[in-house]
PDB file of all heavy atoms in Angstrom:
ATOM      1  N   ARG W 147       8.951  -4.416  16.793  1.00  0.00           N
ATOM      2  CA  ARG W 147       9.636  -3.279  16.175  1.00  0.00           C
ATOM      3  C   ARG W 147       8.909  -2.822  14.918  1.00  0.00           C
ATOM      4  O   ARG W 147       8.699  -1.620  14.709  1.00  0.00           O
ATOM      5  CB  ARG W 147      11.069  -3.671  15.827  1.00  0.00           C
ATOM      6  CG  ARG W 147      11.902  -2.543  15.220  1.00  0.00           C
ATOM      7  CD  ARG W 147      13.102  -3.084  14.490  1.00  0.00           C
ATOM      8  NE  ARG W 147      12.699  -3.899  13.350  1.00  0.00           N
ATOM      9  CZ  ARG W 147      13.487  -4.794  12.774  1.00  0.00           C
ATOM     10  NH1 ARG W 147      14.690  -5.027  13.239  1.00  0.00           N
ATOM     11  NH2 ARG W 147      13.044  -5.485  11.730  1.00  0.00           N
ATOM     12  N   GLU W 148       8.494  -3.781  14.077  1.00  0.00           N
ATOM     13  CA  GLU W 148       7.794  -3.428  12.848  1.00  0.00           C
ATOM     14  C   GLU W 148       6.444  -2.771  13.152  1.00  0.00           C
ATOM     15  O   GLU W 148       6.041  -1.821  12.466  1.00  0.00           O
ATOM     16  CB  GLU W 148       7.605  -4.675  11.991  1.00  0.00           C
ATOM     17  CG  GLU W 148       8.900  -5.186  11.389  1.00  0.00           C
ATOM     18  CD  GLU W 148       8.693  -6.393  10.507  1.00  0.00           C
ATOM     19  OE1 GLU W 148       7.527  -6.760  10.261  1.00  0.00           O
ATOM     20  OE2 GLU W 148       9.696  -6.978  10.049  1.00  0.00           O
ATOM     21  N   MET W 149       5.741  -3.276  14.153  1.00  0.00           N
ATOM     22  CA  MET W 149       4.464  -2.670  14.538  1.00  0.00           C
ATOM     23  C   MET W 149       4.667  -1.234  15.013  1.00  0.00           C
ATOM     24  O   MET W 149       3.883  -0.338  14.685  1.00  0.00           O
ATOM     25  CB  MET W 149       3.791  -3.503  15.624  1.00  0.00           C
ATOM     26  CG  MET W 149       3.305  -4.865  15.154  1.00  0.00           C
ATOM     27  SD  MET W 149       2.761  -5.946  16.497  1.00  0.00           S
ATOM     28  CE  MET W 149       1.399  -4.969  17.169  1.00  0.00           C
ATOM     29  N   PHE W 150       5.735  -1.003  15.760  1.00  0.00           N
ATOM     30  CA  PHE W 150       6.021   0.332  16.277  1.00  0.00           C
ATOM     31  C   PHE W 150       6.305   1.315  15.141  1.00  0.00           C
ATOM     32  O   PHE W 150       5.696   2.393  15.059  1.00  0.00           O
ATOM     33  CB  PHE W 150       7.209   0.270  17.235  1.00  0.00           C
ATOM     34  CG  PHE W 150       7.670   1.620  17.720  1.00  0.00           C
ATOM     35  CD1 PHE W 150       6.937   2.320  18.665  1.00  0.00           C
ATOM     36  CD2 PHE W 150       8.837   2.185  17.222  1.00  0.00           C
ATOM     37  CE1 PHE W 150       7.361   3.570  19.112  1.00  0.00           C
ATOM     38  CE2 PHE W 150       9.261   3.431  17.652  1.00  0.00           C
ATOM     39  CZ  PHE W 150       8.528   4.123  18.600  1.00  0.00           C
ATOM     40  N   TYR W 151       7.197   0.933  14.238  1.00  0.00           N
ATOM     41  CA  TYR W 151       7.568   1.851  13.161  1.00  0.00           C
ATOM     42  C   TYR W 151       6.465   1.987  12.118  1.00  0.00           C
ATOM     43  O   TYR W 151       6.316   3.052  11.504  1.00  0.00           O
ATOM     44  CB  TYR W 151       8.879   1.405  12.515  1.00  0.00           C
ATOM     45  CG  TYR W 151      10.087   1.754  13.357  1.00  0.00           C
ATOM     46  CD1 TYR W 151      10.793   0.767  14.050  1.00  0.00           C
ATOM     47  CD2 TYR W 151      10.499   3.078  13.492  1.00  0.00           C
ATOM     48  CE1 TYR W 151      11.888   1.095  14.837  1.00  0.00           C
ATOM     49  CE2 TYR W 151      11.592   3.414  14.276  1.00  0.00           C
ATOM     50  CZ  TYR W 151      12.284   2.414  14.953  1.00  0.00           C
ATOM     51  OH  TYR W 151      13.355   2.750  15.736  1.00  0.00           O
ATOM     52  N   THR W 152       5.696   0.923  11.907  1.00  0.00           N
ATOM     53  CA  THR W 152       4.562   1.030  10.992  1.00  0.00           C
ATOM     54  C   THR W 152       3.526   2.003  11.536  1.00  0.00           C
ATOM     55  O   THR W 152       2.977   2.826  10.793  1.00  0.00           O
ATOM     56  CB  THR W 152       3.915  -0.352  10.777  1.00  0.00           C
ATOM     57  OG1 THR W 152       4.873  -1.231  10.181  1.00  0.00           O
ATOM     58  CG2 THR W 152       2.704  -0.250   9.862  1.00  0.00           C
ATOM     59  N   THR W 153       3.280   1.924  12.841  1.00  0.00           N
ATOM     60  CA  THR W 153       2.330   2.851  13.463  1.00  0.00           C
ATOM     61  C   THR W 153       2.841   4.281  13.380  1.00  0.00           C
ATOM     62  O   THR W 153       2.066   5.216  13.134  1.00  0.00           O
ATOM     63  CB  THR W 153       2.081   2.469  14.934  1.00  0.00           C
ATOM     64  OG1 THR W 153       1.590   1.118  14.993  1.00  0.00           O
ATOM     65  CG2 THR W 153       1.060   3.400  15.583  1.00  0.00           C
ATOM     66  N   LEU W 154       4.148   4.480  13.558  1.00  0.00           N
ATOM     67  CA  LEU W 154       4.723   5.817  13.397  1.00  0.00           C
ATOM     68  C   LEU W 154       4.470   6.339  11.984  1.00  0.00           C
ATOM     69  O   LEU W 154       4.163   7.522  11.799  1.00  0.00           O
ATOM     70  CB  LEU W 154       6.228   5.793  13.670  1.00  0.00           C
ATOM     71  CG  LEU W 154       6.689   5.746  15.126  1.00  0.00           C
ATOM     72  CD1 LEU W 154       8.213   5.797  15.189  1.00  0.00           C
ATOM     73  CD2 LEU W 154       6.084   6.878  15.937  1.00  0.00           C
ATOM     74  N   GLY W 155       4.605   5.456  10.988  1.00  0.00           N
ATOM     75  CA  GLY W 155       4.340   5.865   9.605  1.00  0.00           C
ATOM     76  C   GLY W 155       2.894   6.304   9.414  1.00  0.00           C
ATOM     77  O   GLY W 155       2.624   7.313   8.748  1.00  0.00           O
ATOM     78  N   TRP W 156       1.966   5.565  10.004  1.00  0.00           N
ATOM     79  CA  TRP W 156       0.551   5.944   9.890  1.00  0.00           C
ATOM     80  C   TRP W 156       0.274   7.258  10.623  1.00  0.00           C
ATOM     81  O   TRP W 156      -0.536   8.075  10.168  1.00  0.00           O
ATOM     82  CB  TRP W 156      -0.333   4.830  10.441  1.00  0.00           C
ATOM     83  CG  TRP W 156      -0.518   3.695   9.493  1.00  0.00           C
ATOM     84  CD1 TRP W 156       0.202   2.538   9.443  1.00  0.00           C
ATOM     85  CD2 TRP W 156      -1.475   3.608   8.433  1.00  0.00           C
ATOM     86  NE1 TRP W 156      -0.247   1.737   8.415  1.00  0.00           N
ATOM     87  CE2 TRP W 156      -1.275   2.368   7.783  1.00  0.00           C
ATOM     88  CE3 TRP W 156      -2.483   4.453   7.969  1.00  0.00           C
ATOM     89  CZ2 TRP W 156      -2.038   1.955   6.694  1.00  0.00           C
ATOM     90  CZ3 TRP W 156      -3.244   4.041   6.891  1.00  0.00           C
ATOM     91  CH2 TRP W 156      -3.025   2.811   6.265  1.00  0.00           C
ATOM     92  N   LEU W 157       0.949   7.481  11.742  1.00  0.00           N
ATOM     93  CA  LEU W 157       0.776   8.750  12.463  1.00  0.00           C
ATOM     94  C   LEU W 157       1.324   9.916  11.648  1.00  0.00           C
ATOM     95  O   LEU W 157       0.746  11.008  11.629  1.00  0.00           O
ATOM     96  CB  LEU W 157       1.458   8.673  13.831  1.00  0.00           C
ATOM     97  CG  LEU W 157       0.846   7.693  14.830  1.00  0.00           C
ATOM     98  CD1 LEU W 157       1.677   7.653  16.115  1.00  0.00           C
ATOM     99  CD2 LEU W 157      -0.598   8.084  15.154  1.00  0.00           C
ATOM    100  N   GLN W 158       2.440   9.683  10.971  1.00  0.00           N
ATOM    101  CA  GLN W 158       3.014  10.736  10.127  1.00  0.00           C
ATOM    102  C   GLN W 158       2.090  11.059   8.955  1.00  0.00           C
ATOM    103  O   GLN W 158       1.887  12.238   8.621  1.00  0.00           O
ATOM    104  CB  GLN W 158       4.387  10.308   9.616  1.00  0.00           C
ATOM    105  CG  GLN W 158       5.447  10.234  10.698  1.00  0.00           C
ATOM    106  CD  GLN W 158       6.723   9.567  10.231  1.00  0.00           C
ATOM    107  OE1 GLN W 158       6.857   9.183   9.070  1.00  0.00           O
ATOM    108  NE2 GLN W 158       7.677   9.397  11.126  1.00  0.00           N
ATOM    109  N   SER W 159       1.528  10.031   8.326  1.00  0.00           N
ATOM    110  CA  SER W 159       0.604  10.281   7.215  1.00  0.00           C
ATOM    111  C   SER W 159      -0.673  10.955   7.709  1.00  0.00           C
ATOM    112  O   SER W 159      -1.254  11.793   7.011  1.00  0.00           O
ATOM    113  CB  SER W 159       0.268   8.972   6.493  1.00  0.00           C
ATOM    114  OG  SER W 159      -0.414   8.079   7.346  1.00  0.00           O
ATOM    115  N   THR W 160      -1.089  10.609   8.918  1.00  0.00           N
ATOM    116  CA  THR W 160      -2.255  11.275   9.509  1.00  0.00           C
ATOM    117  C   THR W 160      -1.977  12.747   9.737  1.00  0.00           C
ATOM    118  O   THR W 160      -2.830  13.605   9.462  1.00  0.00           O
ATOM    119  CB  THR W 160      -2.627  10.603  10.850  1.00  0.00           C
ATOM    120  OG1 THR W 160      -3.003   9.242  10.614  1.00  0.00           O
ATOM    121  CG2 THR W 160      -3.783  11.337  11.521  1.00  0.00           C
ATOM    122  N   ALA W 161      -0.775  13.053  10.225  1.00  0.00           N
ATOM    123  CA  ALA W 161      -0.409  14.453  10.468  1.00  0.00           C
ATOM    124  C   ALA W 161      -0.427  15.253   9.166  1.00  0.00           C
ATOM    125  O   ALA W 161      -0.959  16.373   9.119  1.00  0.00           O
ATOM    126  CB  ALA W 161       0.966  14.529  11.124  1.00  0.00           C
ATOM    127  N   SER W 162       0.136  14.692   8.096  1.00  0.00           N
ATOM    128  CA  SER W 162       0.151  15.404   6.813  1.00  0.00           C
ATOM    129  C   SER W 162      -1.267  15.556   6.267  1.00  0.00           C
ATOM    130  O   SER W 162      -1.609  16.611   5.698  1.00  0.00           O
ATOM    131  CB  SER W 162       1.036  14.672   5.802  1.00  0.00           C
ATOM    132  OG  SER W 162       0.516  13.390   5.512  1.00  0.00           O
ATOM    133  N   GLN W 163      -2.111  14.548   6.440  1.00  0.00           N
ATOM    134  CA  GLN W 163      -3.500  14.644   5.987  1.00  0.00           C
ATOM    135  C   GLN W 163      -4.251  15.722   6.762  1.00  0.00           C
ATOM    136  O   GLN W 163      -5.049  16.483   6.187  1.00  0.00           O
ATOM    137  CB  GLN W 163      -4.205  13.296   6.151  1.00  0.00           C
ATOM    138  CG  GLN W 163      -5.640  13.288   5.626  1.00  0.00           C
ATOM    139  CD  GLN W 163      -6.291  11.927   5.751  1.00  0.00           C
ATOM    140  OE1 GLN W 163      -5.636  10.929   6.054  1.00  0.00           O
ATOM    141  NE2 GLN W 163      -7.588  11.874   5.532  1.00  0.00           N
ATOM    142  N   CYS W 164      -4.000  15.810   8.053  1.00  0.00           N
ATOM    143  CA  CYS W 164      -4.668  16.826   8.874  1.00  0.00           C
ATOM    144  C   CYS W 164      -4.225  18.231   8.478  1.00  0.00           C
ATOM    145  O   CYS W 164      -5.045  19.154   8.417  1.00  0.00           O
ATOM    146  CB  CYS W 164      -4.376  16.572  10.355  1.00  0.00           C
ATOM    147  SG  CYS W 164      -5.232  15.141  11.046  1.00  0.00           S
ATOM    148  N   VAL W 165      -2.931  18.392   8.219  1.00  0.00           N
ATOM    149  CA  VAL W 165      -2.425  19.712   7.809  1.00  0.00           C
ATOM    150  C   VAL W 165      -3.047  20.125   6.476  1.00  0.00           C
ATOM    151  O   VAL W 165      -3.465  21.276   6.296  1.00  0.00           O
ATOM    152  CB  VAL W 165      -0.889  19.698   7.733  1.00  0.00           C
ATOM    153  CG1 VAL W 165      -0.376  20.974   7.064  1.00  0.00           C
ATOM    154  CG2 VAL W 165      -0.291  19.560   9.127  1.00  0.00           C
ATOM    155  N   LEU W 166      -3.109  19.201   5.516  1.00  0.00           N
ATOM    156  CA  LEU W 166      -3.710  19.506   4.217  1.00  0.00           C
ATOM    157  C   LEU W 166      -5.201  19.802   4.357  1.00  0.00           C
ATOM    158  O   LEU W 166      -5.711  20.738   3.724  1.00  0.00           O
ATOM    159  CB  LEU W 166      -3.495  18.343   3.254  1.00  0.00           C
ATOM    160  CG  LEU W 166      -2.092  18.211   2.655  1.00  0.00           C
ATOM    161  CD1 LEU W 166      -1.972  16.916   1.863  1.00  0.00           C
ATOM    162  CD2 LEU W 166      -1.770  19.411   1.760  1.00  0.00           C
ATOM    163  N   THR W 167      -5.893  19.026   5.173  1.00  0.00           N
ATOM    164  CA  THR W 167      -7.325  19.265   5.372  1.00  0.00           C
ATOM    165  C   THR W 167      -7.559  20.636   5.976  1.00  0.00           C
ATOM    166  O   THR W 167      -8.469  21.383   5.557  1.00  0.00           O
ATOM    167  CB  THR W 167      -7.926  18.175   6.284  1.00  0.00           C
ATOM    168  OG1 THR W 167      -7.717  16.886   5.692  1.00  0.00           O
ATOM    169  CG2 THR W 167      -9.417  18.388   6.486  1.00  0.00           C
ATOM    170  N   TRP W 168      -6.764  21.006   6.942  1.00  0.00           N
ATOM    171  CA  TRP W 168      -6.866  22.341   7.548  1.00  0.00           C
ATOM    172  C   TRP W 168      -6.556  23.433   6.526  1.00  0.00           C
ATOM    173  O   TRP W 168      -7.255  24.461   6.471  1.00  0.00           O
ATOM    174  CB  TRP W 168      -5.897  22.431   8.727  1.00  0.00           C
ATOM    175  CG  TRP W 168      -5.639  23.830   9.186  1.00  0.00           C
ATOM    176  CD1 TRP W 168      -6.453  24.630   9.941  1.00  0.00           C
ATOM    177  CD2 TRP W 168      -4.475  24.614   8.900  1.00  0.00           C
ATOM    178  NE1 TRP W 168      -5.872  25.863  10.137  1.00  0.00           N
ATOM    179  CE2 TRP W 168      -4.657  25.878   9.522  1.00  0.00           C
ATOM    180  CE3 TRP W 168      -3.301  24.383   8.194  1.00  0.00           C
ATOM    181  CZ2 TRP W 168      -3.704  26.883   9.437  1.00  0.00           C
ATOM    182  CZ3 TRP W 168      -2.367  25.378   8.119  1.00  0.00           C
ATOM    183  CH2 TRP W 168      -2.563  26.619   8.730  1.00  0.00           C
ATOM    184  N   ALA W 169      -5.519  23.218   5.704  1.00  0.00           N
ATOM    185  CA  ALA W 169      -5.155  24.217   4.696  1.00  0.00           C
ATOM    186  C   ALA W 169      -6.268  24.381   3.663  1.00  0.00           C
ATOM    187  O   ALA W 169      -6.556  25.498   3.215  1.00  0.00           O
ATOM    188  CB  ALA W 169      -3.844  23.819   4.022  1.00  0.00           C
ATOM    189  N   TRP W 170      -6.911  23.294   3.256  1.00  0.00           N
ATOM    190  CA  TRP W 170      -8.043  23.383   2.326  1.00  0.00           C
ATOM    191  C   TRP W 170      -9.218  24.114   2.966  1.00  0.00           C
ATOM    192  O   TRP W 170      -9.798  25.019   2.378  1.00  0.00           O
ATOM    193  CB  TRP W 170      -8.487  21.981   1.903  1.00  0.00           C
ATOM    194  CG  TRP W 170      -7.511  21.239   1.057  1.00  0.00           C
ATOM    195  CD1 TRP W 170      -6.662  21.782   0.125  1.00  0.00           C
ATOM    196  CD2 TRP W 170      -7.265  19.823   1.051  1.00  0.00           C
ATOM    197  NE1 TRP W 170      -5.908  20.796  -0.459  1.00  0.00           N
ATOM    198  CE2 TRP W 170      -6.258  19.585   0.072  1.00  0.00           C
ATOM    199  CE3 TRP W 170      -7.800  18.746   1.751  1.00  0.00           C
ATOM    200  CZ2 TRP W 170      -5.776  18.310  -0.189  1.00  0.00           C
ATOM    201  CZ3 TRP W 170      -7.329  17.472   1.486  1.00  0.00           C
ATOM    202  CH2 TRP W 170      -6.333  17.261   0.534  1.00  0.00           C
ATOM    203  N   ALA W 171      -9.556  23.699   4.176  1.00  0.00           N
ATOM    204  CA  ALA W 171     -10.742  24.251   4.838  1.00  0.00           C
ATOM    205  C   ALA W 171     -10.582  25.729   5.184  1.00  0.00           C
ATOM    206  O   ALA W 171     -11.554  26.497   5.142  1.00  0.00           O
ATOM    207  CB  ALA W 171     -11.048  23.460   6.109  1.00  0.00           C
ATOM    208  N   SER W 172      -9.374  26.149   5.511  1.00  0.00           N
ATOM    209  CA  SER W 172      -9.136  27.535   5.913  1.00  0.00           C
ATOM    210  C   SER W 172      -8.852  28.451   4.729  1.00  0.00           C
ATOM    211  O   SER W 172      -8.597  29.643   4.913  1.00  0.00           O
ATOM    212  CB  SER W 172      -7.962  27.588   6.897  1.00  0.00           C
ATOM    213  OG  SER W 172      -6.766  27.102   6.290  1.00  0.00           O
ATOM    214  N   GLY W 173      -8.889  27.909   3.507  1.00  0.00           N
ATOM    215  CA  GLY W 173      -8.675  28.729   2.323  1.00  0.00           C
ATOM    216  C   GLY W 173      -7.233  28.966   1.968  1.00  0.00           C
ATOM    217  O   GLY W 173      -6.942  29.728   1.037  1.00  0.00           O
ATOM    218  N   ARG W 174      -6.324  28.316   2.657  1.00  0.00           N
ATOM    219  CA  ARG W 174      -4.904  28.498   2.359  1.00  0.00           C
ATOM    220  C   ARG W 174      -4.487  27.747   1.101  1.00  0.00           C
ATOM    221  O   ARG W 174      -3.498  28.100   0.459  1.00  0.00           O
ATOM    222  CB  ARG W 174      -4.061  28.062   3.559  1.00  0.00           C
ATOM    223  CG  ARG W 174      -4.163  29.033   4.741  1.00  0.00           C
ATOM    224  CD  ARG W 174      -3.484  28.465   5.991  1.00  0.00           C
ATOM    225  NE  ARG W 174      -3.402  29.470   7.041  1.00  0.00           N
ATOM    226  CZ  ARG W 174      -4.404  29.778   7.853  1.00  0.00           C
ATOM    227  NH1 ARG W 174      -5.589  29.170   7.716  1.00  0.00           N
ATOM    228  NH2 ARG W 174      -4.257  30.700   8.785  1.00  0.00           N
ATOM    229  N   LEU W 175      -5.212  26.682   0.770  1.00  0.00           N
ATOM    230  CA  LEU W 175      -4.986  25.926  -0.455  1.00  0.00           C
ATOM    231  C   LEU W 175      -6.328  25.704  -1.149  1.00  0.00           C
ATOM    232  O   LEU W 175      -7.337  25.448  -0.472  1.00  0.00           O
ATOM    233  CB  LEU W 175      -4.335  24.569  -0.157  1.00  0.00           C
ATOM    234  CG  LEU W 175      -2.869  24.556   0.282  1.00  0.00           C
ATOM    235  CD1 LEU W 175      -2.441  23.136   0.627  1.00  0.00           C
ATOM    236  CD2 LEU W 175      -1.959  25.141  -0.784  1.00  0.00           C
ATOM    237  N   PRO W 176      -6.371  25.804  -2.475  1.00  0.00           N
ATOM    238  CA  PRO W 176      -7.643  25.576  -3.185  1.00  0.00           C
ATOM    239  C   PRO W 176      -8.003  24.091  -3.221  1.00  0.00           C
ATOM    240  O   PRO W 176      -7.123  23.233  -3.186  1.00  0.00           O
ATOM    241  CB  PRO W 176      -7.357  26.112  -4.587  1.00  0.00           C
ATOM    242  CG  PRO W 176      -5.872  25.931  -4.755  1.00  0.00           C
ATOM    243  CD  PRO W 176      -5.274  26.175  -3.389  1.00  0.00           C
ATOM    244  N   TYR W 177      -9.290  23.812  -3.309  1.00  0.00           N
ATOM    245  CA  TYR W 177      -9.750  22.434  -3.402  1.00  0.00           C
ATOM    246  C   TYR W 177     -11.145  22.410  -3.998  1.00  0.00           C
ATOM    247  O   TYR W 177     -11.825  23.439  -4.085  1.00  0.00           O
ATOM    248  CB  TYR W 177      -9.777  21.762  -2.018  1.00  0.00           C
ATOM    249  CG  TYR W 177     -10.955  22.163  -1.167  1.00  0.00           C
ATOM    250  CD1 TYR W 177     -12.105  21.369  -1.108  1.00  0.00           C
ATOM    251  CD2 TYR W 177     -10.942  23.346  -0.416  1.00  0.00           C
ATOM    252  CE1 TYR W 177     -13.197  21.735  -0.340  1.00  0.00           C
ATOM    253  CE2 TYR W 177     -12.020  23.725   0.355  1.00  0.00           C
ATOM    254  CZ  TYR W 177     -13.154  22.913   0.397  1.00  0.00           C
ATOM    255  OH  TYR W 177     -14.230  23.285   1.151  1.00  0.00           O
ATOM    256  N   TYR W 178     -11.588  21.230  -4.427  1.00  0.00           N
ATOM    257  CA  TYR W 178     -12.974  21.049  -4.853  1.00  0.00           C
ATOM    258  C   TYR W 178     -13.394  19.626  -4.509  1.00  0.00           C
ATOM    259  O   TYR W 178     -12.574  18.698  -4.528  1.00  0.00           O
ATOM    260  CB  TYR W 178     -13.152  21.335  -6.344  1.00  0.00           C
ATOM    261  CG  TYR W 178     -12.358  20.465  -7.282  1.00  0.00           C
ATOM    262  CD1 TYR W 178     -12.910  19.310  -7.851  1.00  0.00           C
ATOM    263  CD2 TYR W 178     -11.051  20.801  -7.626  1.00  0.00           C
ATOM    264  CE1 TYR W 178     -12.178  18.517  -8.717  1.00  0.00           C
ATOM    265  CE2 TYR W 178     -10.312  20.007  -8.488  1.00  0.00           C
ATOM    266  CZ  TYR W 178     -10.881  18.867  -9.030  1.00  0.00           C
ATOM    267  OH  TYR W 178     -10.158  18.072  -9.883  1.00  0.00           O
TER     268      TYR W 178
END
Side-chain angles (χ1 to χ4, degrees):
R147 182 199 64 200
E148 289 182 7
M149 292 170 61
F150 174 74
Y151 283 107
T152 298
T153 302
L154 282 183
W156 281 95
L157 293 176
Q158 291 169 2
S159 64
T160 297
S162 64
Q163 183 178 350
C164 288
V165 170
L166 284 173
T167 301
W168 164 77
W170 292 326
S172 61
R174 288 171 171 81
L175 288 176
Y177 77 97
Y178 61 94

